[in-house]
């Protein structure tokens, strides 16, 4: 008859808890990475879907821009005829006023674009800090757990 020898080993509950916590943290990090990959795929799909719409918007905008000189010349002719002014002087005045308005719009738009690009800086830096913190935590738990075994 074969006798079984039982070896009783005491398992520290803290070791199991730390090991489980590190496994959960690793799972959270993997889920986060998968979520980022999914967001990238969704972003690409959104870009692909918006190509036709963006093309139509750009084409319509180009047509509007192309018609602006005609409108400006018509306005200059109307002012010249109505006020009996020299046509070239009115055209220069309308061109200068239009240019000033356009420069103002471009300056405001550039400031808004610069502001818009900072929207995700806080999120991305916090995400990076959180991921680094989780990695350090998990590495510390794994090292502590491994040294106890």
């Amino acid at each position: 008859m074969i006798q079984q020898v039982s070896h009783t080993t005491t398992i520290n509950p803290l070791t199991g808890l730390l090991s489980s916590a590190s496994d959960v943290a690793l799972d959270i990090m993997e889920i986060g990475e998968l979520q980022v990959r999914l967001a990238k795929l969704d972003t690409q799909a959104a870009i692909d879907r918006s190509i036709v719409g963006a093309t139509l918007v750009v084409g319509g905008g180009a047509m509007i821009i192309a018609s602006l000189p005609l409108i400006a010349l018509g306005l200059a002719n109307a002012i010249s005829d109505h006020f009996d002014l020299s046509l070239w002087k009115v055209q220069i005045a309308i061109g200068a006023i239009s240019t000033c308005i356009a420069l103002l719009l471009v300056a405001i738009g550039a400031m808004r674009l610069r502001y818009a690009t900072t929207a995700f800086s806080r999120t991305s830096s916090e995400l990076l800090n959180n991921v680094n913190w989780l990695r350090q935590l998990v590495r510390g738990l794994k090292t502590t757990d491994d040294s106890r075994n």
Side-chain angles (χ1 to χ4, degrees):
M1 177 169 169
I2 301 174
Q3 289 192 358
Q4 293 180 338
V5 178
S6 79
H7 295 284
T8 309
T9 58
T10 57
I11 298 174
N12 185 350
L14 185 59
T15 301
L17 177 67
L18 291 176
S19 178
S20 296
S22 65
D23 289 341
V24 169
L26 284 172
D27 289 343
I28 290 171
M29 288 173 45
E30 287 177 13
I31 288 171
E33 289 174 1
L34 290 173
Q35 203 62 41
V36 168
R37 288 183 195 159
L38 182 60
K40 286 180 182 179
L41 290 173
D42 288 345
T43 301
Q44 186 60 47
I47 289 170
D48 292 344
R49 292 177 187 172
S50 65
I51 289 175
V52 172
T55 302
L56 292 173
V57 168
V58 169
M63 290 179 73
I64 290 171
I65 291 171
S67 64
L68 287 177
L70 298 173
I71 294 170
L73 286 173
L75 182 62
N77 282 330
I79 291 172
S80 175
D81 287 347
H82 188 271
F83 292 106
D84 198 28
L85 297 172
S86 174
L87 181 60
W88 69 271
K89 290 179 183 176
V90 177
Q91 287 174 342
I92 288 175
I94 298 259
I97 292 169
S98 297
T99 301
C100 289
I101 292 170
L103 287 173
L104 179 65
L105 293 175
V106 167
I108 292 170
M111 286 188 289
R112 295 296 297 175
L113 284 174
R114 187 178 310 142
Y115 174 69
T117 59
T118 63
F120 289 103
S121 64
R122 180 183 60 198
T123 301
S124 64
S125 78
E126 281 302 313
L127 177 63
L128 182 64
N129 290 339
N130 290 338
V131 168
N132 286 336
W133 176 77
L134 278 172
R135 282 190 177 138
Q136 288 175 353
L137 178 69
V138 170
R139 285 184 185 131
L141 291 175
K142 283 292 188 184
T143 302
T144 304
D145 186 35
D146 292 341
S147 66
R148 289 182 182 173
N149 287 335

